[in-house]
Amino acid sequence: MKFSYLHLGALVAQILVTKAKDDGLAKTPPMGWNRQVFWNYWGCNISQDTILKSAQALIDSGLDKLGYKYVIMDDCWHASERSPHKPHPPVADPERFPDGIKALSDKIHAMGLKIGIYSSAGTMTCGRRFGSLGYEEIDAKTYKEWDIDYLKYDNCYNEGQAGYDLISYDRYAKMSRALSDTGRPIVYAMCNWGEDGTWNWAPTIAHSWRISGDITDVYDGFDDRCPCESAINCKLPGFHCSMMRILDFAAPLVQKAGPGHWNDLDMLEVGNGGMTTAEYQTHFAMWAVIKSPLILGNDPMNMDAVTKAIITNKWLIDINQDLQGEPVVRIRKTLVKNPHGETVGVAQIWAGGLVQGAVVAIVNSSPDKYTTNYTLQDVYPSAKKLSRAKYEVIDLWALTDPSKGVVEGNWGRSLGKALSSASYLSVEVPGHGTT
């Protein structure tokens, strides 16, 4: 995937700034780390020690300074059952969290980070621990007492309270109101897998919402466990959804997101071994420009240099955190054919505005390199309205110094300065890559 960053004139920047506004919580997509992806590695055997070591790894690697602030525990922090004393507040596992969640929260905050917790809008969590359905108020009050900053709220064992939008809305709105009533700023991240058209009603009650079944560490391909071809009217979101499947799901939904309310494309799989470097670059870049929360799913305690280089691309992080909060929109799809005339993939063009400038992504889903010639107004239609503007185009996945290779901080090379909207550029996008 090839990536172009367009610096526009001062007039455009000034106009765009007026659109940006501070909405308080999650005015930009949340960034952090979640241990759920290690289900097959840790299972339910997490502890305060593993959470603290992962938090320390975020700091030691400098990821916290780039904005990765939320440390999200996910499932299985729970004791075997709630407190027997009314109103039956949640209780942490006394063996794996002997100091309690409040003490863990205090330590995370002392590191300069924020802490996230997990529950489900059902009688049980997906890991078959106690859920929050019917206990929304006491759970929210307890999260406040524990100084929690973020709640991931799942959809397992929902007692059949799903199937149409109003029943799902009511179930999730109960926790939204309960969190608001505590007075504590807690980011509310809904995880109902896009069921019942989440994007149509979640923006009024949540800061983010999942749009699909769970991601798996695979670039593309079909899996019957993720059976839907579109997120719209999907009756079985499932799981084991490939990265490109979720990208297609997101395309028509970007119009629903903005400051304070974001489409969540699920956690980042970068560094978990199932994709190539080019595929992980596509994954990270598209999650960033669509303005999905950037929640790392790799092991921060065991991270190679390439993984770190990808997830620390400052250009892309800045685009994700741009205060305009405008996701890119897919504006074109072109079939890619091999020398035999056989269709081997699709070239996609996505574009969107920034507070100062614009961003364009060219995604090549074919396994072969794709070369294209384009004018700036071809890939960024708004440039037609600004024929006198001058642009600098920066390829955000090009190595600044090719001799250094793929290392942290070595991204971004100018493809030209003082270009007009009619200027032609030629780009080569690697197989499964993005420019």
Side-chain angles (χ1 to χ4, degrees):
M1 168 183 187
K2 250 189 173 173
F3 223 92
S4 299
Y5 180 81
L6 313 181
H7 295 275
L8 305 187
L11 175 62
V12 175
Q14 184 176 5
I15 293 172
L16 293 179
V17 166
T18 64
K19 295 181 181 179
K21 58 182 179 180
D22 185 351
D23 289 316
L25 277 179
K27 63 182 179 181
T28 60
M31 297 174 61
W33 171 84
N34 185 310
R35 52 77 53 188
Q36 191 271 341
V37 79
F38 293 105
W39 185 263
N40 292 329
Y41 179 65
W42 283 338
C44 266
N45 193 30
I46 65 165
S47 67
Q48 63 186 38
D49 184 55
T50 57
I51 299 300
L52 287 171
K53 285 182 178 178
S54 297
Q56 188 61 51
L58 292 181
I59 294 171
D60 293 343
S61 60
L63 292 173
D64 61 318
K65 294 181 175 60
L66 291 172
Y68 295 102
K69 293 286 190 179
Y70 288 97
V71 178
I72 305 164
M73 291 191 291
D74 218 277
D75 208 345
C76 295
W77 55 267
H78 318 65
S80 58
E81 58 185 18
R82 291 176 170 275
S83 168
H85 306 294
K86 291 184 178 180
H88 308 297
V91 181
D93 186 292
E95 294 184 3
R96 290 180 284 115
F97 293 86
D99 298 331
I101 302 299
K102 179 61 168 67
L104 176 61
S105 175
D106 289 343
K107 291 176 182 178
I108 295 292
H109 289 145
M111 295 179 178
L113 301 172
K114 296 178 181 290
I115 187 168
I117 205 164
Y118 166 97
S119 190
S120 180
T123 55
M124 292 190 292
T125 69
C126 299
R128 299 183 66 84
R129 281 10 188 208
F130 56 79
S132 292
L133 187 64
Y135 293 90
E136 292 86 358
E137 290 186 6
I138 184 56
D139 285 7
K141 290 178 181 178
T142 304
Y143 300 155
K144 177 187 178 180
E145 293 170 1
W146 289 345
D147 289 338
I148 297 298
D149 304 299
Y150 181 111
L151 171 63
K152 176 183 174 181
Y153 204 43
D154 219 328
N155 194 30
C156 288
Y157 301 99
N158 60 31
E159 297 289 284
Q161 295 185 38
Y164 61 94
D165 48 12
L166 183 58
I167 192 171
S168 283
Y169 171 84
D170 286 344
R171 182 162 50 95
Y172 279 92
K174 289 177 183 177
M175 180 58 82
S176 177
R177 289 191 293 268
L179 292 172
S180 295
D181 288 347
T182 69
R184 179 171 177 79
I186 299 175
V187 171
Y188 184 31
M190 281 179 43
C191 181
N192 85 323
W193 323 318
E195 195 171 54
D196 297 330
T198 313
W199 42 86
N200 288 324
W201 46 267
T204 63
I205 60 173
H207 299 103
S208 68
W209 55 88
R210 281 275 300 282
I211 66 166
S212 73
D214 291 350
I215 192 172
T216 193
D217 188 18
V218 171
Y219 175 75
D220 60 6
F222 180 78
D223 190 312
D224 268 327
R225 292 168 292 185
C226 182
C228 297
E229 296 184 359
S230 169
I232 299 172
N233 297 323
C234 176
K235 299 300 184 182
L236 181 59
F239 62 111
H240 274 253
C241 299
S242 71
M243 185 270 288
M244 289 298 288
R245 175 61 64 91
I246 292 176
L247 184 60
D248 276 338
F249 287 164
L253 307 180
V254 295
Q255 60 188 292
K256 298 295 186 176
H261 51 279
W262 309 104
N263 289 306
D264 182 355
L265 277 60
D266 207 356
M267 290 178 293
L268 291 160
E269 294 282 357
V270 181
N272 290 328
M275 297 188 234
T276 67
T277 296
E279 291 167 352
Y280 279 140
Q281 287 176 308
T282 293
H283 180 21
F284 186 78
M286 293 312 297
W287 264 231
V289 300
I290 287 175
K291 307 300 173 72
S292 174
L294 297 181
I295 306 298
L296 302 173
N298 63 303
D299 183 353
M301 295 179 282
N302 296 284
M303 180 169 47
D304 62 30
V306 172
T307 297
K308 188 178 181 185
I310 292 172
I311 65 175
T312 58
N313 186 316
K314 189 67 165 56
W315 293 98
L316 289 168
I317 291 172
D318 286 348
I319 288 171
N320 180 259
Q321 298 293 297
D322 184 78
L323 290 178
Q324 177 145 323
E326 178 185 335
V328 292
V329 176
R330 189 164 64 186
I331 60 173
R332 189 175 307 164
K333 295 171 67 177
T334 304
L335 295 180
V336 178
K337 298 186 177 182
N338 64 19
H340 304 291
E342 301 164 329
T343 299
V344 291
V346 175
Q348 309 176 20
I349 296 178
W350 299 66
L354 302 168
V355 167
Q356 186 171 355
V359 59
V360 172
I362 305 175
V363 184
N364 175 20
S365 72
S366 83
D368 305 319
K369 66 181 180 181
Y370 172 74
T371 301
T372 183
N373 299 304
Y374 64 86
T375 66
L376 298 185
Q377 62 189 19
D378 287 337
V379 295
Y380 183 56
S382 295
K384 296 177 182 178
K385 303 174 183 178
L386 303 161
S387 58
R388 295 184 180 180
K390 297 299 180 182
Y391 303 81
E392 178 182 16
V393 178
I394 301 174
D395 184 344
L396 304 187
W397 280 132
L399 298 175
T400 307
D401 182 350
S403 68
K404 293 181 179 179
V406 178
V407 294
E408 182 180 358
N410 194 33
W411 300 118
R413 187 170 71 242
S414 179
L415 300 182
K417 298 181 179 180
L419 302 174
S420 73
S421 62
S423 297
Y424 269 91
L425 288 172
S426 178
V427 296
E428 183 178 284
V429 189
H432 291 179
T434 298
T435 294

